[in-house]
Amino acid sequence: MSVPVAPGRLPLLGHTVQMLRRRNDFTADLRNHGDIVRIDLGTMPTYFVTNPHVVHELLVQKGASFRKGALFDKFQPVFGNGLATSNGAFHRRQRRMVRPAFHGERVALYCRAMARAAADLTATWHPGQVRVIEEDTQALAVTIVGEALFSTDIGRRAVEEVRRSIFTVLKQGMVRALSPTFVEKLPLRGNREFDRAVGRLRSIVLDVVRGWREEGVDRGDLLSMLLMAQDADTGAGMSDEQVHDEVMTLLIGGIETTALALAWTFHEIGRHPEVERLVHAEVDEVLGGRTPTYADAANLVYLNQVVDEVLRMYPVWFLMRRALAPVELGGVALPEGAEVIFSPHALHHDPASFGEPHRFDPDRWSPDRAASIPKGAFVPFGAGSRQCVGNLFARAEILITAATVASRWRLVPVPGKPVRVKFTTAAYPSRMLMTAVPRY
C-alpha cells in the first residue's frame, strides 16, 4: 500500500512560532489524507498515524517492533536511561523493577500525602481571593511527587530544589528537544539556565541516594522502593546513577502533566454549573465530610468521568516511535528506522470517535457510551508495554485533589478573563484566574 504525502511540512519548535498556532489544525487535517500519512518533521521524514485502530496496532499489538523515537533521543543525554528514554531488554528490566512502587497498595499510602497537601494548599486560600490556578496546581504537584519520592530531612531539601529547578528543566528541555541540535551549543540564556538547573537536581538527587545507602532503611517512599528493587533474574539492584535516572524520569513525567490536568479539571468544573453541582453532590455523598482515600476514588463515579473528559480534551500533542526492523503497520510496509508519529490530541478530537469533540461532556464516559469508543482513540497515558508506569498514581492524585477541593470550595472563573491554551507539547493555560468561594 502506498503512503499519501501530506500537503505541507511540520516544522520543529525552533523553526517557526506561527506553526505553534496552526499545528493542531494541521495534524487534525491529516486524517483526511489517510490512516498513515508521510510528513516532514523539520528535515526528517516521518509516518503520521491518524487511525485509532492503527495506533492500537502500533502501541499494543506490534509494540515490541518499535522503540521510542527521535524526540526521546534528544532527552537521553540529559535525563539518562530512565523508563521514558530506555529501550529493549534494559527497559523491560527497569519496568519490572520500578512497577512495584506503583502497585495499588503503595498508591493508597501516597494518597494520604496527596489529600494532606491539597488540604494544606486550600488552607491558605481566603474567601473571594483570586487564584492563578495553574500556579497552585504546579506547586501542589511538586509537593506531592517530591514527598512521595523523598521522606528524609535531606529529602525535604531535595523537594525545595525540585521546586526551584524543575519548571526551568521542563520548559527549556522541551525547547531543546524540539530544536536543531546546534541550538543547545549556543551561549543562550535559556541553555545556561537549563544546564544549571539540571546540574543542581543531579547533585541533590545523588546526595539523597548516597544518604539512603548509608542508612539502608525503608522509609516507605518511592526512593526506598527504587533502591531496594532487585532484578528477578539476577538479584541485582540499580546503581546510584540508574536510580538518579529513574528519579529524574518520575519528576519530569509526574509533575507537569498532572499539574496541567488538575488545572483544566478545576477550569471545566467551574465553567459548567451542572457539572459542578453533580461533582459536589457526589463528593458530599461519598465522603460525608471525611478526607478522601484511595478506596474512595473508585466510588467517585461521576468525578472519574469528569477526569476522563479532561484527559481527552487536554492531552499531549504528539508522541513518537521508531521501527526496530522492517514492519507492516496498517497495511503499510515501513523500513527499519522509520520514525512514526501520532497525536493524542488529534485522536481525542476525532469526530469519528467522539461526537462533538470540542464540547466538554463527562457523560460520554458513562459505561454504555464509553464501550463504543474504539481502541487507540483514547491514549492519555499511552498503551502497551510503554504505558506510563505511574498512571495509577497520576489518576489518584487528580481525583484525591479534586475531591478535597470540591468538598470545601468552589472555584469560579473570573468574568472577562478567558483562558486560552498555549501549546508546547502539552496544553498550558494562559493565566487561569479563578475566585475561591467557600461552599459552607
Side-chain angles (χ1 to χ4, degrees):
M1 181 186 296
S2 62
V3 182
V5 179
R9 179 185 297 269
L10 189 59
L12 296 181
L13 180 61
H15 291 179
T16 176
V17 175
Q18 186 179 11
M19 179 55 79
L20 292 178
R21 304 186 186 100
R22 303 197 320 260
R23 63 187 184 178
N24 284 322
D25 291 338
F26 179 89
T27 53
D29 182 63
L30 290 176
R31 70 174 71 99
N32 297 321
H33 298 275
D35 292 346
I36 301 179
V37 185
R38 162 76 182 270
I39 66 171
D40 291 332
L41 186 63
T43 59
M44 179 176 60
T46 68
Y47 297 86
F48 199 109
V49 179
T50 67
N51 184 294
H53 299 289
V54 182
V55 169
H56 182 72
E57 181 184 358
L58 168 70
L59 299 180
V60 179
Q61 296 170 329
K62 295 184 178 176
S65 299
F66 295 87
R67 55 166 288 175
K68 287 293 182 81
L71 178 66
F72 292 90
D73 291 344
K74 297 289 290 291
F75 282 126
Q76 197 160 30
V78 175
F79 302 127
N81 211 26
L83 282 179
T85 52
S86 59
N87 288 286
F90 184 80
H91 175 267
R92 290 191 292 273
R93 169 187 178 270
Q94 286 302 114
R95 190 174 179 89
R96 286 197 303 269
M97 294 175 73
V98 172
R99 190 164 47 204
F102 293 99
H103 283 169
E105 61 271 19
R106 301 294 297 198
V107 175
L109 295 177
Y110 307 142
C111 283
R112 300 174 187 172
M114 295 173 188
R116 183 176 63 251
D120 289 347
L121 170 65
T122 59
T124 68
W125 294 356
H126 305 292
Q129 184 181 34
V130 175
R131 308 292 303 186
V132 183
I133 292 299
E134 72 270 24
E135 293 179 1
D136 278 343
T137 60
Q138 287 169 358
L140 184 65
V142 170
T143 297
I144 289 172
V145 173
E147 291 187 1
L149 271 167
F150 313 115
S151 59
T152 62
D153 288 339
I154 190 173
R156 282 187 278 277
R157 297 206 302 274
V159 173
E160 289 308 308
E161 187 56 64
V162 171
R163 201 180 307 281
R164 174 189 180 193
S165 299
I166 192 65
F167 291 105
T168 296
V169 173
L170 289 167
K171 178 182 176 182
Q172 298 298 336
M174 189 53 64
V175 171
R176 181 173 291 198
L178 294 177
S179 298
T181 301
F182 74 87
V183 172
E184 65 195 60
K185 309 295 184 183
L186 299 177
L188 303 174
R189 177 181 177 182
N191 284 338
R192 292 193 298 270
E193 292 176 348
F194 176 80
D195 291 338
R196 285 195 293 264
V198 168
R200 291 193 302 265
L201 284 173
R202 175 180 175 80
S203 177
I204 192 68
V205 169
L206 287 175
D207 281 350
V208 177
V209 169
R210 292 171 188 134
W212 192 98
R213 295 282 193 203
E214 291 177 3
E215 297 182 10
V217 177
D218 179 5
R219 299 184 179 277
D221 55 17
L222 281 169
L223 181 63
S224 295
M225 292 292 289
L226 295 176
L227 285 159
M228 294 188 302
Q230 293 182 329
D231 187 321
D233 297 328
T234 67
M238 298 186 212
S239 67
D240 289 1
E241 193 68 27
Q242 188 58 40
V243 172
H244 163 271
D245 293 349
E246 298 300 352
V247 168
M248 289 298 294
T249 297
L250 294 176
L251 290 173
I252 298 301
I255 291 176
E256 179 187 45
T257 52
T258 307
L260 292 174
L262 265 173
W264 289 117
T265 297
F266 294 134
H267 171 72
E268 293 295 351
I269 291 174
R271 74 190 191 102
H272 291 92
E274 180 61 14
V275 171
E276 180 187 62
R277 185 187 69 78
L278 292 172
V279 166
H280 287 169
E282 181 177 70
V283 166
D284 292 348
E285 179 181 356
V286 172
L287 301 183
R290 331 182 253 102
T291 298
T293 67
Y294 183 62
D296 293 317
N299 296 322
L300 295 167
V301 176
Y302 186 72
L303 184 57
N304 271 278
Q305 293 178 197
V306 170
V307 170
D308 277 334
E309 185 68 343
V310 167
L311 294 174
R312 182 191 71 81
M313 291 194 69
Y314 302 101
V316 298
W317 176 44
F318 75 93
L319 294 169
M320 298 184 73
R321 296 290 186 267
R322 179 182 299 147
L324 292 169
V327 61
E328 184 175 290
L329 183 68
V332 174
L334 301 181
E336 178 181 353
E339 295 286 349
V340 181
I341 185 170
F342 65 98
S343 170
H345 188 276
L347 289 166
H348 292 189
H349 289 80
D350 186 343
S353 301
F354 302 99
E356 298 182 82
H358 297 288
R359 184 169 71 89
F360 187 78
D361 179 15
D363 287 336
R364 73 172 81 243
W365 297 101
S366 60
D368 55 331
R369 291 179 62 185
S372 65
I373 296 172
K375 291 181 178 180
F378 182 60
V379 286
F381 299 106
S385 64
R386 304 302 300 239
Q387 185 178 44
C388 174
V389 72
N391 64 327
L392 284 180
F393 183 102
R395 189 176 187 90
E397 182 178 346
I398 298 167
L399 287 164
I400 294 294
T401 301
T404 300
V405 173
S407 67
R408 308 176 185 195
W409 295 87
R410 297 179 59 223
L411 287 169
V412 181
V414 174
K417 300 291 183 180
V419 178
R420 295 181 175 84
V421 182
K422 300 184 297 182
F423 264 99
T424 54
T425 59
Y428 273 88
S430 57
R431 284 187 65 79
M432 185 182 287
L433 301 178
M434 304 187 78
T435 303
V437 179
R439 285 192 58 203
Y440 304 107

